[in-house]
Amino acid sequence: MPKPKRRCDECESLYFSEASQMMSLCPECSHLLYDYPNCQHKFENGSCVNCGWDGSRSEYLKGLLQRHNMSDAELNDELVFLEGRMKKLSRLKEVKALMSEIAPPPLVMVAIGCNWRTLECEGARDGLLDLKVLLNESFVVRGEIPNDLTAKVEHARPYLLSDYLLRGTASERRQIGLILA
Ligand SMILES: [Zn+2]
Ligand SMILES: [Zn+2]
């Protein structure tokens, strides 16, 4: 009898339901995203005989894996790059004002993510930049910065650093670990 299969929400590969501890992620993605034990993959005819994963990768996980494979020096370079990009934001003052409502002074803001939402966003009037910052080594906050100056800079619900580390990916934890080291 064929084993029941499901499709992974992240990589869209089919996988054997019984091989994964998560409802909608294959063993590979649940390992990378949530640190569940991975399958000892054994590929035959384009998919793993143990879990059914076909080797697909989402764009998101491709990016995360890059960070998994980065050395401390490369991770540092990334932080320096993000910091530089954040400092050049034309709306940095507004961002700082917003963030100082979350964390008490003196505000120490470290950029851990600073990316245009899509490739077309840079320079586009309706473009958006996603910023993620570590505040005072205590909170992680995502901010949304519209190019359109009449639209407000906004932030999502702040995470306590401990919650962020608990829910975050191994890659996100590694990035924070390097900042706090
Ligand atoms: Zn998957
Ligand atoms: Zn497998």
Side-chain angles (χ1 to χ4, degrees), residues 70-103:
M70 280 157 78
S71 66
D72 281 1
E74 286 168 323
L75 275 169
N76 253 321
D77 288 348
E78 186 197 19
L79 287 172
V80 170
F81 168 78
L82 292 171
E83 190 73 14
R85 195 184 250 182
M86 179 176 76
K87 289 227 163 99
K88 274 192 236 148
L89 290 177
S90 56
R91 306 190 74 176
L92 185 60
K93 256 193 181 161
E94 289 165 84
V95 173
K96 280 185 176 162
L98 198 66
M99 296 303 169
S100 54
E101 291 170 11
I102 298 165

Side-chain angles (χ1 to χ4, degrees), residues 28-87:
E28 178 73 15
C29 293
S30 53
H31 172 64
L32 292 172
L33 290 170
Y34 298 101
D35 271 350
Y36 280 94
N38 202 348
C39 164
Q40 298 281 343
H41 300 304
K42 201 171 135 224
F43 284 92
E44 266 171 36
N45 302 318
S47 65
C48 171
V49 294
N50 297 324
C51 73
W53 182 54
D54 66 6
S56 298
R57 289 255 186 252
S58 65
E59 287 306 310
Y60 175 67
L61 275 181
K62 276 186 208 163
L64 272 192
L65 279 175
Q66 251 173 5
R67 204 181 274 148
H68 271 285
N69 296 331
M70 280 157 78
S71 66
D72 281 1
E74 286 168 323
L75 275 169
N76 253 321
D77 288 348
E78 186 197 19
L79 287 172
V80 170
F81 168 78
L82 292 171
E83 190 73 14
R85 195 184 250 182
M86 179 176 76
K87 289 227 163 99

Side-chain angles (χ1 to χ4, degrees), residues 86 89 91-114 129-145 152-159:
M86 179 176 76
L89 290 177
R91 306 190 74 176
L92 185 60
K93 256 193 181 161
E94 289 165 84
V95 173
K96 280 185 176 162
L98 198 66
M99 296 303 169
S100 54
E101 291 170 11
I102 298 165
L107 185 70
V108 181
M109 188 163 83
V110 179
I112 53 180
C114 190
L129 184 124
D130 288 309
L131 179 70
K132 187 163 69 161
V133 290
L134 173 66
L135 296 180
N136 295 10
E137 301 191 351
S138 312
F139 305 97
V140 172
V141 193
R142 286 168 209 274
E144 195 181 271
I145 306 166
K152 270 193 180 167
V153 174
E154 288 181 337
H155 70 76
R157 193 171 61 86
Y159 280 103

